[in-house]
Amino acid sequence: MMMSRGTATMVRSVTGPMSARLFSIAAGTGSVIGAARISAGLAGSEKAVATWWIKSYPVIGARNASTVALGEKEQQDHKEETVAGGGATSGDQKGKEVVSYWGVPQSKLTKEDGSEWKWNCFKPWETYQADLSIDLKKHHVPKTFLDKFAYWTVKSLRLPTDIFFQRRYGCRAMMLETVAAVPGMVGGMLLHCKSLRRFEHSGGWIKALLEEAENERMHLMTFMEVAKPRWYERALVFTVQGVFFNAYFLAYLASPKLAHRITGYLEEEAIHSYTEFLKELDKGNIENVKAPAIAIDYWRLPADSTLRDVVMVVRADEAHHRDVNHFASDIHYQGHELKDSPAPIGYH
């Protein structure tokens, strides 16, 4: 839009403090109708510039007007709630639901007994009862070079862990789960990208591996309630997870059968670690405290469950992950791809 010399002179004359005032007023009204209101409070040349600006750029005003209107509505709703409730406290503010223009619903869930579901990190339909009847003694005997490489790689990783944690099995479990949750996420991510590149289905393996990663993460969330990590243990997590993530990522790109075999042996070591954990609990060397609330809801445990019950179900989960990853490796060894065999979704 071309301006006359006189209009341009007026625009230059009101730059500086006036321009900031003009911009804020124009954005706040957001319509040509607002020009009359603005002009009422401005003098001579300022009126002309204000009217010209809003007529020239109505989109900017309209865009801001919707946001401003939303903010005013939220403030009005908040005032009404405050009056109705006799004033809002800081606790009320923290518990208030997020108000959004986009209309995304926030689900309110309840347990089977009708009580409120207090977890937002997992939902009731993601809970389950662990299968404790699984064979814990199964072991894949390494025969090929890749199998032996995977086996001894995992064994070598166990040595520094034993030295560092010794019999502090709570912190050991915490560290173990920060690493154990990586393979499923890496494998699921790479299979996801492969599926997109090749325009093909995954046979459900993306979901199965991500399900494994989520289950391992919930193990960590549970043991965080039991063992409070020290600052240097948290620092160690950054180092170990950073190295392991990148190493496993490259290993999966190079050989998925090797990567899954490594994970299978890692799960075998996890079973051994949790078995030792149970022995220490039975001996009384570790206090058998009440099970964390998050564990009771996640595994649908009885309300009077203890730490020993939690370790039992976690160990069973690790045994199921052991089977899934050795199975995935066997599929590759037999010359097939994972998508050729249905994934054991929900196996744990």
Side-chain angles (χ1 to χ4, degrees), residues 146 149-150 153 179-195 197-198 200-210 212-213 243-264 266 321 324-333 336-341 343-344:
L146 283 181
F149 177 79
T153 298
V179 173
V182 169
M185 180 59 65
V186 171
M189 174 185 67
L190 291 177
L191 286 179
H192 174 74
C193 293
K194 181 179 179 180
S195 175
R197 290 195 309 271
R198 296 189 177 183
E200 63 185 17
H201 293 287
S202 69
W205 279 94
I206 296 173
K207 184 174 182 179
L209 293 177
L210 295 181
E212 175 188 315
V243 172
F244 182 76
F245 180 94
N246 289 285
Y248 192 84
F249 179 86
L250 295 175
Y252 204 101
L253 287 175
S255 175
K257 62 184 175 184
L258 171 63
H260 282 293
R261 192 68 80 199
I262 289 174
T263 306
L266 279 173
H321 299 327
V324 170
N325 281 278
H326 280 316
F327 172 56
S329 185
D330 287 347
I331 292 173
H332 285 289
Y333 266 105
H336 302 289
E337 293 190 25
L338 293 182
K339 66 183 181 67
D340 299 329
S341 300

Side-chain angles (χ1 to χ4, degrees), residues 10-30:
M10 281 192 295
V11 171
R12 286 195 298 270
S13 67
V14 295
T15 56
M18 162 55 193
S19 61
R21 177 184 175 191
L22 181 59
F23 270 68
S24 62
I25 294 174
T29 55

